[in-house]
């Protein structure tokens, strides 16, 4: 049976311009965004993020009609289903190590595997209006925290199971 993934609203203590960060990401200014993320992370107490054994939990920072921004807190060994994304997807590894497996859409064959280390980020730009872009599966090799940005609610992403 598939477990449901829990989501919480993140409460920020401190002054940080979340809209400015989302605008940088939406405009694909990823290097500038990464430096803003470092500023943000100085104000975030990672130890207070919701956590669930053997799974991952979403802490939602921004969720509106323009974009979605949030932190994912992963237990070691937790993994997503094979899933697609809206037009824009961005992931920044705050701590730990995530393994990302990419798939070809037509055959769902594996394209390759790569790890994301602390301070590294990945992004993809797909087809607007679709939620089957950038099909992949993420697996936490260690307890990890990652920051994600999407141009739409990620829970709409199409799910593919082998
Ligand atoms: Fe994803």
């Amino acid at each position: 049976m598939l477990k449901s993934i829990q989501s919480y609203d993140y409460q920020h203590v401190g002054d940080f311009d979340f809209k400015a960060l989302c605008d940088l990401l939406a405009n694909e200014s990823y290097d500038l965004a990464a430096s803003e993320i470092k500023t943000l992370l100085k104000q975030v107490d990672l130890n207070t993020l919701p956590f669930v054994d053997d799974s991952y939990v979403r802490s939602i920072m921004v969720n509106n009609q323009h974009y979605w921004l949030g932190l994912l807190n992963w237990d070691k060994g937790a993994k997503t289903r094979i899933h697609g994304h809206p037009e824009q997807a961005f992931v920044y590894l705050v701590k730990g190590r995530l393994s990302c497996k990419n798939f070809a859409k037509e055959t769902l064959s594996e394209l390759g595997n790569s790890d994301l280390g602390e301070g590294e980020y990945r992004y993809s730009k797909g087809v607007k209006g679709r939620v089957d872009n950038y099909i992949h599966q993420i697996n936490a090799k260690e307890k990890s925290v990652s920051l994600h940005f999407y141009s739409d609610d990620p829970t709409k992403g199409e799910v593919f199971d082998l």
Side-chain angles (χ1 to χ4, degrees), residues 1-115:
M1 200 175 105
L2 290 163
K3 53 192 179 234
S4 63
I5 304 305
Q6 294 182 33
S7 296
Y8 296 87
D9 285 328
Y10 171 80
Q11 303 293 332
H12 189 65
V13 180
D15 59 338
F16 183 80
D17 192 342
F18 286 93
K19 183 179 182 302
L21 172 59
C22 288
D23 286 341
L24 283 174
L25 289 161
N27 293 325
E28 301 172 64
S29 300
Y30 297 116
D31 284 346
L32 284 173
S35 91
E36 284 300 304
I37 289 166
K38 290 191 178 83
T39 301
L40 166 62
L41 292 172
K42 288 183 190 142
Q43 301 176 8
V44 177
D45 183 358
L46 299 177
N47 297 316
T48 63
L49 295 176
F51 177 83
V52 171
D53 286 343
D54 302 319
S55 187
Y56 62 96
V57 181
R58 303 183 183 101
S59 293
I60 303 170
M61 294 169 147
V62 180
N63 187 10
N64 60 34
Q65 72 269 38
H66 302 296
Y67 29 59
W68 189 100
L69 183 79
L71 292 167
L72 267 62
N73 197 12
W74 306 76
D75 195 5
K76 182 178 179 179
K79 63 179 179 185
T80 67
R81 297 172 74 183
I82 300 169
H83 62 277
H85 297 83
E87 181 189 15
Q88 271 188 285
F90 171 91
V91 52
Y92 178 101
L93 208 278
V94 178
K95 71 163 196 181
R97 181 161 287 269
L98 296 179
S99 170
C100 310
K101 202 185 275 185
N102 294 316
F103 293 84
K105 188 188 164 196
E106 292 70 24
T107 55
L108 270 197
S109 52
E110 244 184 88
L111 291 173
N113 209 12
S114 64
D115 278 15

Side-chain angles (χ1 to χ4, degrees), residues 80 83-85 134 136 138 148 150:
T80 67
H83 62 277
H85 297 83
Y134 188 38
H136 74 174
I138 294 181
H148 299 245
Y150 304 103

